[in-house]
Amino acid sequence: MSRISRYVYETFQDIAVTSHMIQWRRHGYLLDETLTTTGDILQGRFESTYIVGSQSEGSTTVGMNSDTDFLMCEDDHLVVLEEKGWRRGKRNLLAFKDEETPPQFYKLCRMELNRPGYVTEPLHSTDVVDDQGRVLVSNKWLDEAMDRAFGDIVQHKCTTRGPQVSQGALISHGPSRSPVEEVDMVNALPCAILPEECQFLFQRPRPGHWPEPKTLEYARQCPAFFVPQGPANTLIEVRVLQWRLSTTLIERRLMFDLTEVQMLVYILLKMMRGCYIKPQFDDNLSTFHFKTAMMFTIETHSPDIWRKDNIVACTIYSFNTLLRWIKLRYCPHFTTKGVNLFDGKLSRHELQQLESVIMQIRDNIVWCICNLEMDMFGLRIKNKMGIQVLPVRIDNPRRQNIQKIQKKIIVNVSTSKGTFIEYLALQYNVMGPDEAHERVTRQLHHLHSMQATGSDLEREAASLYIPYLYGYLASIRASHCIASNQPVTQDIHRLYSLSLDCDLMSGKLKYASMLYCSGQYAQAAQMLTHCEGLLGQDVAHYCGCGGREYAHQSDRYLEKGLNTNTADLLRTSSTICVKFSRHELPCVPEHLRYEMYRTQTQEDRKKRHREHGWMDLVVIDCLPFLFYLQFLVYKQMGQPYRQFKAMQNQGDYFTCLKQKQIRGHGDTAANVLAHCFELVDRSNISNMAWNRYQMSIKAYPTNNAAWIHLIRLFRKHFL
């Protein structure tokens, strides 16, 4: 057993399931979670987003292709457990039980908004009035909001990705409603206090070595939620009026406390479930059953057994725990009293079959491990044992797997950051300049408070957002100066200096754009030269705009990321596209301002959907913006060699876009390149500009400012 255990441990190392990568996954997903929640708060949304399950736990492998699970808490609501718990300023709901509600399930009734007491009239089409006159909340209540939020995205993905999304409907898995298969999204309502049945975790007798007192104290601070799911095997009219109590954050906290070996045992259990149990029992015996078995096994067994040379034996112990429950026909919940996790999942006959299957796995554990297909795990074990596995090639995918994990997490974090920046700019777009200025100032104050008193993750999230807000504030003030022909003040330059490290280049390019538009060409040229010097193989370029998603990450960048804090990596070695709101237009070169007005026709509007909000902004990728600004600045400074060099770089970038079929904002890159041709005084230059605008339209026929420029050129030369 010890030898095969060592092989199992080494194989996990080979496929990048290491202590370092587990921690790296956790930090990345928790940072993504914190960025999203912070962004929602700053936008005035009453919602907290949590990333739960295997991705944030680190309990997965590349070969598992695990979903990402989101729990979205409606923070403007509050579920209280007694009437006196009512709180002003919240949409209060009272949770109660009756003869129809099994353990872990509750009914929720609506309470008055401005005073304690019950609502007497339904507030939503799905509400039901019971025989006592209480207005009960259906667990279908939030589906309508999900349909509104994601319906157009689903329809768009159906038309562009074909069978990946079925019939334009949200995909349902239990309480989850999501637009795509890769994610599970669960709406949740916060519970005011931890219910008595969840105190079971902290009150029951246990050996004492796990969970440790500090872990339990931390878990006690985690909130509980109500999620829209009724008990299975009940009448639909009964089921839709019940909500399930969820302690997912408590469970996540406990999983974070597992040692490396304990995590590997749990992952091995999940792999064997996927290969040997799921084909027969689907998700009726879920990973949550195995997680529960794992927790009880850790709690009841000595901490001395969890060693690298004892992984297989520990796996058997966990199977024994599950087998004991199957024989009893009762699977307890680790955090909630009185719950049988087999209820509504497995019939007595299925439990008998399951008992036989798990006994076979346990009794033939080495054979089962050596024949695991996921991640070619079994073949890798056999290779280490010296068993002939040819002609199958067995390589070590550690580096490739690490890069796959890195790419996904860094793109997620970068996209969350970029989405927030886009939404802020769109919010500013519909405000007056004074209101926008006041909003940015308030948001900065909130972020500085987070930086001073928040958790490590909150401080990290704030550090990523603060420079962007200083950039907006500086551009709004500078735009007022430029529009009124006043000099840009030193205070504005100081604000720009606070925005320069928002990422590697976008803040600096915004500053350079202002310098150009205010006639400070020498300073602009100096900043642009500095930006050009920052480019290299260890720099990544991102765009998260809907329909233009793009991520280029070199091997050197990813290697750097393994030993660099994610926030620092995004600040020092990454770029995202540059965005300007309408209050910043005086800081944008005149030709580029047309990008804000790309939507001109009814056909343009039909082709737009919820993911295309960025089309109401000026948006351009960093590299074409760098080269375009250099061209404009050097033209003003009378430096034709450097001007043409910038234009050549612009052309090379555009050629690279075409050859590699890179997305991003290729239409805007083509449009500014065409403008460079327009500004060069040559006999065939109008044809070259015309050609670039047509290339832009060929790539993106609608919502493209190139149409405006073609009409302008036609009028200029032919009318």
Side-chain angles (χ1 to χ4, degrees), residues 23 97 150 163 208 295 341 344 356 377 390 415 486 500 519 550 587:
Q23 295 300 325
K97 285 180 171 292
F150 297 107
M295 287 181 176
L341 294 175
S356 175
F377 200 86
L390 295 176
T415 300
Q486 297 176 2
L500 298 183
Y550 165 61
C587 293

Side-chain angles (χ1 to χ4, degrees), residues 514-649:
M514 182 280 292
L515 292 170
Y516 165 76
C517 292
S518 60
Q520 302 176 73
Y521 303 125
Q523 296 94 318
Q526 186 177 7
M527 178 57 68
L528 293 170
T529 300
H530 174 62
C531 288
E532 189 173 15
L534 296 174
L535 297 174
Q537 290 299 312
D538 59 347
V539 174
H541 304 276
Y542 298 104
C543 177
C545 295
R548 306 296 172 86
E549 296 90 346
Y550 165 61
H552 171 72
Q553 303 160 306
S554 67
D555 290 351
R556 284 179 58 182
Y557 171 82
L558 294 171
E559 288 169 7
K560 184 177 182 180
L562 276 178
N563 300 305
T564 306
N565 176 282
T566 304
D568 290 339
L569 187 71
L570 292 176
R571 274 195 301 268
T572 62
S573 304
S574 311
T575 73
I576 65 170
C577 52
V578 187
K579 296 179 173 71
F580 294 93
S581 68
R582 69 183 180 94
H583 300 304
E584 302 171 89
L585 286 182
C587 293
V588 180
E590 185 176 355
H591 185 272
L592 192 55
R593 297 174 197 174
Y594 285 99
E595 298 296 318
M596 186 172 283
Y597 309 105
R598 62 176 66 232
T599 302
Q600 293 285 319
T601 67
Q602 194 61 36
E603 182 64 20
D604 288 339
R605 291 182 180 86
K606 287 181 181 178
K607 294 294 184 180
R608 286 187 54 165
H609 53 88
R610 186 171 176 265
E611 291 182 305
H612 288 162
W614 58 268
M615 289 184 177
D616 291 327
L617 308 169
V618 173
V619 187
I620 184 170
D621 293 314
C622 279
L623 286 180
F625 195 30
L626 167 64
F627 302 140
Y628 180 54
L629 284 175
Q630 284 181 323
F631 177 89
L632 296 177
V633 168
Y634 296 145
K635 185 176 188 301
Q636 290 293 334
M637 296 178 70
Q639 298 181 7
Y641 174 78
R642 300 178 77 181
Q643 176 188 345
F644 280 103
K645 179 63 177 175
M647 186 174 175
Q648 183 181 13
N649 289 338

Side-chain angles (χ1 to χ4, degrees), residues 47-167:
E47 185 174 277
S48 296
T49 299
Y50 302 97
I51 304 176
V52 296
S54 59
Q55 295 286 11
S56 63
E57 291 170 357
S59 60
T60 187
T61 70
V62 170
M64 279 191 196
N65 294 316
S66 298
D67 295 339
T68 304
D69 300 314
F70 293 89
L71 186 141
M72 298 173 296
C73 180
E74 306 286 337
D75 289 331
D76 58 336
H77 290 74
L78 184 68
V79 180
V80 298
L81 302 180
E82 50 187 356
E83 193 172 347
K84 66 181 182 181
W86 180 93
R87 290 190 202 170
R88 186 174 299 279
K90 296 285 187 179
R91 300 179 185 274
N92 290 265
L93 304 168
L94 177 68
F96 67 94
K97 285 180 171 292
D98 58 22
E99 66 279 358
E100 293 179 326
T101 51
Q104 201 185 12
F105 290 92
Y106 287 76
K107 290 182 178 179
L108 307 182
C109 71
R110 295 192 185 275
M111 301 183 73
E112 293 281 1
L113 183 62
N114 297 317
R115 60 183 177 82
Y118 301 115
V119 168
T120 57
E121 296 291 334
L123 301 181
H124 192 271
S125 59
T126 60
D127 287 351
V128 174
V129 180
D130 70 2
D131 54 8
Q132 297 185 38
R134 295 174 295 197
V135 178
L136 304 185
V137 182
S138 166
N139 58 39
K140 301 295 181 184
W141 164 43
L142 298 172
D143 286 0
E144 187 177 309
M146 292 285 280
D147 285 333
R148 286 197 305 270
F150 297 107
D152 56 344
I153 295 178
V154 172
Q155 291 290 351
H156 173 69
K157 293 187 186 298
C158 283
T159 56
T160 57
R161 299 186 185 179
Q164 277 190 307
V165 183
S166 60
Q167 301 177 352

Side-chain angles (χ1 to χ4, degrees), residues 241-275:
L241 293 179
Q242 299 190 37
W243 294 67
R244 178 170 62 81
L245 182 64
S246 170
T247 56
T248 186
L249 290 190
I250 295 177
E251 294 150 18
R252 187 176 75 174
R253 178 64 254 174
L254 296 174
M255 291 301 293
F256 285 174
D257 203 43
L258 266 58
T259 67
E260 179 190 23
V261 169
Q262 289 165 348
M263 284 294 295
L264 297 184
V265 170
Y266 176 50
I267 295 169
L268 186 60
L269 288 167
K270 289 174 65 175
M271 295 173 80
M272 286 195 278
R273 171 195 169 269
C275 288

